[in-house]
Amino acid sequence: MFTKIIDFSTYSSIRIGQPEEVLMIEKDDDIPSDRYLIGGVNNLLISTTPPPLMMLSKDFAYIKDSDRVLEIGTAMPTGRIVSYAKKHDIAGFEFCAKLPGTLGGMLAMNAGVKEYEIFNILHSVCIDKEWIAKEDIEHGYRFAKLEGIATAARFETQSGFDPQLLEALSKLRSNQPTNPSAGSAFKNPPNDSAGRLIEAAGLKGYRDGGMAWSEVHANFLVNKGNGTYDEAMRLIELAKERVLSRFGVELELEIKIL
Ligand SMILES: Cc1cc2nc3c(=O)[nH]c(=O)nc-3n(C[C@H](O)[C@H](O)[C@H](O)COP(=O)(O)OP(=O)(O)OC[C@H]3O[C@@H](n4cnc5c(N)ncnc54)[C@H](O)[C@@H]3O)c2cc1C
C-alpha cells in the first residue's frame, strides 16, 4: 500500500473538499478496517473533517472474461465496463453508461436507472476474499448491505448489447443539471419523487452561496462555483425541514456525508 494526496475540490463530482491523504490498497494487501473506502466519489459529500480514507488501486481495475462469466474488479470505472460490453456484444450493462463511478460504488449503492439496477445482473461479489451469492446479500432501492469491502464481482453474461436501450436511457439524462453534483441528493420516498417534494416546498433553484437546489431538477444539489460543505449542509437541512413540515415526509439522503 502507499499514500496519495487527493484534492477533493477537483476529484469529487460535486467539487467540494480539500486535499486529503488517501491510503491506496494494492492487490495482496490486507484491507484496513479503520478507514473509509471511497470509489470515484460521485455519491459523497466530503466534510472539512472526513474520517481516514482509503481507495482500491488500479490492481482492482480489471475485467476477466471466461466462459460466459465476467469477473470485474471493483475499481473499474463504469464507463470502461460499458465500452467492454459494447465491444464484445454483451447484454445488461447498458444502463451503467450514465452512472459515473466505479463498480464498487455501484454495488454498495445498488445504483441504477429506472428498473435497471446492478443487482439485477449480478451473480456474486467477492468480500474479504470470499465469494458471496447475490441472494445472500440484503439489497433494495439504492442500498446493499455488503458488510465489507467488495474487491470483485461476477456476472453471467448473455450476448446482445442493446444500443437502442443505451440511447433511450441516455436521453433520460436530459432533465439533469450539468453543474457539478453528487447525483440525486435524496432517495425517492415510496410512490413519490424527492424532486417533486423539494420543488413543491418552494426550493427549486434556491441558492445558498455557491450551492443551490438545481433549477433543472430540484433533487440535485449543485455547485454553482466555489460552493462549500457548510452551504451544502444548510441546503440539505432546509429541504428536510420544509418537506417534513409541509408534507409530513421524512426525506432520506442518498448522498453519503463523510
Ligand atoms: C451527475 C450524476 C448522476 C448520477 N445519476 C445516478 C443515477 O441515475 N442512479 C444512481 O443509482 N446513481 C446515480 N449517481 C450516483 C453515482 O453515480 C453512483 O452512486 C455510483 O455508483 C457511485 O460510484 P462511486 O465509485 O463514485 O462511489 P463513491 O461515491 O466513491 O462511494 C459510494 C459508496 O460506495 C462505497 N463503496 C465504493 N466502493 C466500494 C467497494 N469496493 N466495496 C464496498 N463499498 C464501496 C463507498 O464506501 C460509499 O459508501 C449519479 C451521480 C452523478 C454525479
Side-chain angles (χ1 to χ4, degrees):
M1 44 185 95
F2 60 97
T3 56
K4 193 171 157 180
I5 303 290
I6 294 184
D7 184 353
F8 287 95
S9 70
T10 49
Y11 189 80
S12 69
S13 61
I14 198 166
R15 306 279 185 269
I16 288 179
Q18 53 286 327
E20 297 283 347
E21 195 177 84
V22 178
L23 185 68
M24 302 297 296
I25 310 296
E26 297 178 280
K27 197 169 60 159
D28 298 319
D29 292 340
D30 286 328
I31 301 180
S33 55
D34 56 351
R35 285 182 174 255
Y36 190 93
L37 183 83
I38 54 169
V41 194
N42 291 280
N43 215 213
L44 300 176
L45 179 57
I46 307 279
S47 75
T48 47
T49 52
L53 301 172
M54 62 179 171
M55 192 188 235
L56 298 175
S57 74
K58 61 176 171 25
D59 293 354
F60 297 88
Y62 66 86
I63 298 184
K64 267 193 229 161
D65 194 345
S66 61
D67 200 20
R68 304 191 61 200
V69 174
L70 273 193
E71 180 179 318
I72 309 179
T74 51
M76 197 68 178
T78 48
R80 280 173 62 194
I81 298 173
V82 178
S83 307
Y84 186 92
K86 192 171 177 186
K87 187 169 166 203
H88 295 87
D89 194 31
I90 296 169
F93 293 93
E94 296 84 353
F95 75 95
C96 305
K98 295 287 167 176
L99 294 183
T102 61
L103 176 61
M106 288 196 81
L107 292 167
M109 304 300 298
N110 190 14
V113 180
K114 298 215 132 194
E115 69 270 34
Y116 303 92
E117 292 178 339
I118 193 74
F119 266 71
N120 296 355
I121 56 169
L122 180 68
H123 176 267
S124 51
V125 185
C126 187
I127 296 171
D128 296 333
K129 302 196 169 91
E130 222 180 287
W131 284 95
I132 302 175
K134 107 167 147 189
E135 292 75 22
D136 296 330
I137 301 173
E138 200 187 320
H139 63 276
Y141 167 60
R142 299 296 171 271
F143 99 96
K145 217 166 166 188
L146 295 181
E147 315 222 42
I149 303 301
T151 49
R154 287 185 182 145
F155 302 86
E156 276 170 317
T157 58
Q158 286 183 343
S159 61
F161 185 85
D162 185 348
Q164 272 123 6
L165 177 62
L166 178 80
E167 204 188 315
L169 293 175
S170 300
K171 272 201 187 134
L172 289 178
R173 298 279 126 164
S174 54
N175 77 337
Q176 288 194 355
T178 50
N179 293 107
S181 76
S184 300
F186 295 104
K187 297 182 185 188
N188 286 325
N191 306 317
D192 209 338
S193 111
R196 189 198 74 76
L197 289 162
I198 296 169
E199 186 172 347
L203 292 176
K204 191 175 189 180
Y206 186 89
R207 192 163 174 163
D208 183 335
M211 298 302 295
W213 289 113
S214 170
E215 63 275 11
V216 182
H217 189 311
N219 192 24
F220 276 69
L221 185 59
V222 290
N223 192 337
K224 300 281 216 175
N226 302 315
T228 65
Y229 171 74
D230 288 342
E231 290 160 359
M233 288 307 294
R234 281 201 296 268
L235 286 174
I236 287 172
E237 289 310 322
L238 180 65
K240 273 186 164 174
E241 279 165 29
R242 279 236 194 139
V243 168
L244 183 61
S245 66
R246 295 206 181 167
F247 311 111
V249 178
E250 217 167 305
L251 287 176
E252 190 191 339
L253 273 178
E254 180 171 322
I255 294 178
K256 291 189 193 314
I257 297 167
L258 296 193

